[in-house]
């Protein structure tokens, strides 16, 4: 099978070339873009499987690019940021990024993070491919699609995977660590705060009020579960 295509969006030429060299050596097909507008054009043209997106881009910044990408692309997005503040990471995830990496970073770490993202399961067995119905919510694993009240809901790969894992075991409480293992994979080495942010994004798209949830419930000090309040 052909290796996935990775689009690097970074305005620093030396860093962009360095990352491309490491990814190419790892067997990936790699394309580049130096600014936000060209990144959007290349993403539409190439339909990459993963996009490495710098937060601090000239003119159209990484957050704006990320939001626009999510209107037409389901590619994994790994956001690069030189800012160490937690709020910048959270904003990036809320904009639609799947993961983040703070500069400066080791190119080998970046390659490992990319490889780990592609090891996350996307395909399900025939036993798992039955539609899941929960009131107005319908989840179709075979089509990797979700409908709410008959309207399709656009979810990222991670949002969909979180919803699928939770919905296949209604009433069961999953800890952050368990969700990281099931969705991100047991070789993920980022922090577990990404779970909270992606759960929050998922709730927004489902119109699920955390104070009066229909689908995803928070079990304080433990984690999250799917299903009606007992």
């Amino acid at each position: 099978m052909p290796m996935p295509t990775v689009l690097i969006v970074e305005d620093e030429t030396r860093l962009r070339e360095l990352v491309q060299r490491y990814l190419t050596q790892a067997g990936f097909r790699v394309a580049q873009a130096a600014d936000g507008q060209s990144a959007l054009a290349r993403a539409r043209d190439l339909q990459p499987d993963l996009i490495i997106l710098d937060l601090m881009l000239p003119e159209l910044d990484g957050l704006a690019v990320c939001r626009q990408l999510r209107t037409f692309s389901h590619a994994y997005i790994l956001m690069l940021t030189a800012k160490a503040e937690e709020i910048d990471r959270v904003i990036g995830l809320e904009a639609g990024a799947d993961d983040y990496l703070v500069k400066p970073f080791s190119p080998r770490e970046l390659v490992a993070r990319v490889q780990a993202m592609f090891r996350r399961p996307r395909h399900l067995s025939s036993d798992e491919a039955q539609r899941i119905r929960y009131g107005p919510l319908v989840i179709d694993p075979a089509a990797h699609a979700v409908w709410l009240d008959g309207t399709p809901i656009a979810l990222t790969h991670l949002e969909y995977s979180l919803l699928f894992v939770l919905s296949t075991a209604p009433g069961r409480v999953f800890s952050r660590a368990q969700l990281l293992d099931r969705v991100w994979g047991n070789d993920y080495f980022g922090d577990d705060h990404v779970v909270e942010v992606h759960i929050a994004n998922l709730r927004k798209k489902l119109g699920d009020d955390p104070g009066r949830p229909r689908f995803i419930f928070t079990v304080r000090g433990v984690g999250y579960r799917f299903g009606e309040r007992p």
Side-chain angles (χ1 to χ4, degrees):
M1 293 181 63
M3 287 298 289
T5 298
V6 178
L7 174 62
I8 305 168
V9 185
E10 167 63 59
D11 62 324
E12 296 180 33
T13 304
R14 293 177 64 182
L15 179 57
R16 194 170 64 243
E17 296 288 347
L18 177 65
V19 171
Q20 173 161 358
R21 185 163 68 251
Y22 272 80
L23 287 171
T24 301
Q25 289 172 353
F28 293 98
R29 294 180 295 175
V30 183
Q32 295 186 17
D35 59 72
Q37 293 294 352
S38 61
L40 293 170
R42 299 226 69 187
R44 287 190 176 93
D45 181 49
L46 297 173
Q47 292 297 309
D49 301 287
L50 185 144
I51 300 170
I52 297 172
L53 178 61
D54 187 29
L55 177 64
M56 303 299 291
L57 293 171
E59 298 182 15
L60 192 64
D61 67 26
L63 292 177
V65 173
C66 189
R67 292 188 181 101
Q68 291 191 44
L69 284 170
R70 282 300 177 227
T71 65
F72 66 87
S73 174
H74 294 292
Y76 290 123
I77 297 177
L78 176 61
M79 186 162 280
L80 304 179
T81 173
K83 297 183 177 180
E85 289 83 357
E86 182 177 324
I87 187 63
D88 294 301
R89 307 176 204 174
V90 171
I91 291 172
L93 295 172
E94 289 178 342
D98 295 294
D99 203 354
Y100 63 85
L101 193 58
V102 178
K103 295 179 180 178
F105 56 83
S106 160
R108 289 186 176 87
E109 179 185 357
L110 184 143
V111 172
R113 190 75 66 92
V114 169
Q115 291 171 330
M117 294 179 85
F118 283 119
R119 282 195 289 270
R120 295 169 190 166
R122 290 188 179 186
H123 303 291
L124 304 167
S125 69
S126 57
D127 291 338
E128 296 174 304
Q130 301 299 314
R131 284 191 172 188
I132 299 168
R133 299 179 184 273
Y134 188 85
L137 185 68
V138 178
I139 304 166
D140 187 343
H144 206 277
V146 176
W147 292 268
L148 181 61
D149 293 318
T151 301
I153 306 298
L155 301 180
T156 67
H157 288 299
L158 284 176
E159 290 164 356
Y160 174 84
S161 297
L162 274 172
L163 180 61
F164 178 77
V165 168
L166 290 167
S167 65
T168 53
R172 174 181 171 179
V173 180
F174 289 87
S175 68
R176 288 183 185 177
Q178 288 171 325
L179 290 173
L180 281 173
D181 183 58
R182 293 289 190 93
V183 177
W184 279 260
N186 57 17
D187 54 357
Y188 177 75
F189 46 86
D191 65 66
D192 63 4
H193 188 61
V194 296
V195 175
E196 287 182 27
V197 179
H198 285 294
I199 287 286
N201 290 345
L202 182 56
R203 280 172 163 162
K204 288 177 185 176
K205 292 183 178 181
L206 296 177
D208 207 20
D209 180 359
R212 298 177 60 85
R214 292 187 294 172
F215 308 118
I216 301 173
F217 294 80
T218 300
V219 180
R220 291 190 179 279
V222 184
Y224 302 95
R225 66 174 176 79
F226 184 92
E228 295 181 350
R229 193 185 301 276

